[in-house]
Amino acid sequence: MGRAGRRGDLGFSKFMISLEDDLLADYDSKRWIKLREKLLRRAPRTGKPVNKLRLHTYVYEAQKRLEGANYDLRKELLSYDEVIDLQRKMVYQERNELLQRQKLGISSEKILREIAEQTFKVTGDEQTMEEAYKRQEEFLAGTSFPMSMEEIKREDPDVVIEKLINWHKGQREKIPAETMSAIEKEVYLNLMDQMWVMHLDEMVQLREGIHLRAYAQQDPLVMYQKEGGELFKNFNPSIIFISHMLCWNWNQMGW
């Protein structure tokens, strides 16, 4: 100490700790108060350090327990981070593969058919059908699809789906294939990035309140994994992608 590195002297380190340090008080407050009072009686405040084996033992035990608590906390945080990390790897793997391809690699017609069948092929009571018509109207909102909602309600769903696909195909054919591929790829990538940011925000909100599940005798980590997985299932850029492409103003493109 003070001469480390001089003339071959290795030196040494000495650490000082106050008897009023929070580390000691938080470890075992009642025990520490008694020990501190005893130390102060035997070694009054003369400015000199107190060097007692019992004090060293107490400091060592307090530090060891604190390090253990911090380790458990870091371990728990890592467990939560692993959930998002797994989702991140899946999303970025898909994104990197898409960047390496010249074309989107997915058929917009196939996606449109799947979504259209889910949207238009609906059966049920009057309330169910009203909700279905509302979803159909929202799905076609902003598009120039020639059929009105009244015509869609009267027409067979299979016919509506085929007309929608043929209309979309005709719109795409107005643009050269290479240009269309570039547009679809850029739109899909932008949507994926935006939806991933939104998903991260949802995961942060879920994480902030998940500890309250402990009051309901539920493991917060397990519930975070379960509900985080449910949120990730909704991460489907394909649906939003088709909505964007349907609403594309083809006439303004000049084709």
Side-chain angles (χ1 to χ4, degrees):
M1 184 175 182
R3 295 184 60 83
R6 295 185 182 181
R7 298 181 181 178
D9 187 357
L10 297 178
F12 63 94
S13 298
K14 181 181 291 187
F15 297 92
M16 312 293 289
I17 185 170
S18 171
L19 294 179
E20 298 178 356
D21 194 282
D22 293 337
L23 169 67
L24 304 175
D26 294 341
Y27 171 52
D28 190 346
S29 58
K30 293 182 179 179
R31 179 185 168 194
W32 171 242
I33 291 174
K34 294 180 180 179
L35 178 59
R36 187 177 65 176
E37 290 177 352
K38 186 179 294 186
L39 291 172
L40 291 175
R41 284 198 305 268
R42 294 183 179 180
R45 297 188 179 185
T46 59
K48 296 181 180 180
V50 178
N51 191 2
K52 298 290 184 180
L53 178 60
R54 190 176 179 185
L55 178 60
H56 282 269
T57 303
Y58 188 90
V59 172
Y60 175 77
E61 292 176 355
Q63 188 172 3
K64 190 174 182 180
R65 176 176 291 189
L66 180 62
E67 290 175 353
N70 289 337
Y71 173 78
D72 293 338
L73 180 60
R74 290 194 299 269
K75 185 178 179 181
E76 182 181 5
L77 291 175
L78 285 174
S79 298
Y80 283 98
D81 290 341
E82 285 176 356
V83 178
I84 297 182
D85 187 55
L86 179 61
Q87 297 175 355
R88 182 185 294 109
K89 288 179 180 178
M90 296 172 63
V91 172
Y92 275 73
Q93 181 180 359
E94 180 181 354
R95 193 180 190 281
N96 291 334
E97 290 176 356
L98 180 58
L99 286 172
Q100 294 174 2
R101 294 196 298 262
Q102 293 183 351
K103 296 183 179 180
L104 185 60
I106 58 176
S107 172
S108 59
E109 181 178 333
K110 181 180 179 181
I111 299 174
L112 177 58
R113 183 177 294 276
E114 292 177 356
I115 298 173
E117 288 179 352
Q118 297 174 7
T119 306
F120 293 96
K121 282 190 174 182
V122 181
T123 56
D125 55 22
E126 184 177 352
Q127 183 178 357
T128 302
M129 295 308 299
E130 286 297 326
E131 293 175 354
Y133 292 145
K134 186 177 180 180
R135 289 195 300 270
Q136 294 169 12
E137 189 173 3
E138 292 174 352
F139 180 69
L140 295 174
T143 71
S144 57
F145 184 57
M147 293 186 69
S148 65
M149 281 304 303
E150 293 300 324
E151 293 174 330
I152 291 174
K153 292 178 182 179
R154 293 194 300 266
E155 191 62 85
D156 183 84
D158 290 325
V159 176
V160 175
I161 293 172
E162 290 302 322
K163 286 185 177 181
L164 178 62
I165 291 174
N166 291 332
W167 170 80
H168 178 61
K169 185 178 180 180
Q171 298 295 322
R172 293 180 78 255
E173 289 176 349
K174 296 179 181 179
I175 300 179
E178 293 183 0
T179 305
M180 191 70 242
S181 297
I183 291 174
E184 289 181 336
K185 182 178 178 180
E186 183 177 356
V187 170
Y188 195 89
L189 282 171
N190 289 334
L191 286 173
M192 179 179 287
D193 294 342
Q194 294 173 18
M195 292 186 67
W196 175 242
V197 172
M198 293 171 60
H199 175 72
L200 289 178
D201 290 339
E202 292 177 343
M203 293 296 289
V204 170
Q205 294 177 9
L206 176 63
R207 173 71 179 89
E208 289 177 350
I210 201 67
H211 65 279
L212 298 175
R213 302 300 177 88
Y215 292 106
Q217 305 300 319
Q218 295 176 336
D219 188 336
L221 177 58
V222 173
M223 298 307 299
Y224 180 76
Q225 293 171 339
K226 181 179 179 181
E227 297 187 17
E230 292 296 326
L231 288 175
F232 191 65
K233 288 181 181 179
N234 297 328
F235 182 81
N236 190 356
S238 300
I239 298 177
I240 312 298
F241 166 72
I242 285 298
S243 300
H244 274 64
M245 297 310 295
L246 286 175
C247 295
W248 192 277
N249 195 333
W250 306 93
N251 295 327
Q252 288 186 0
M253 294 296 296
W255 284 288

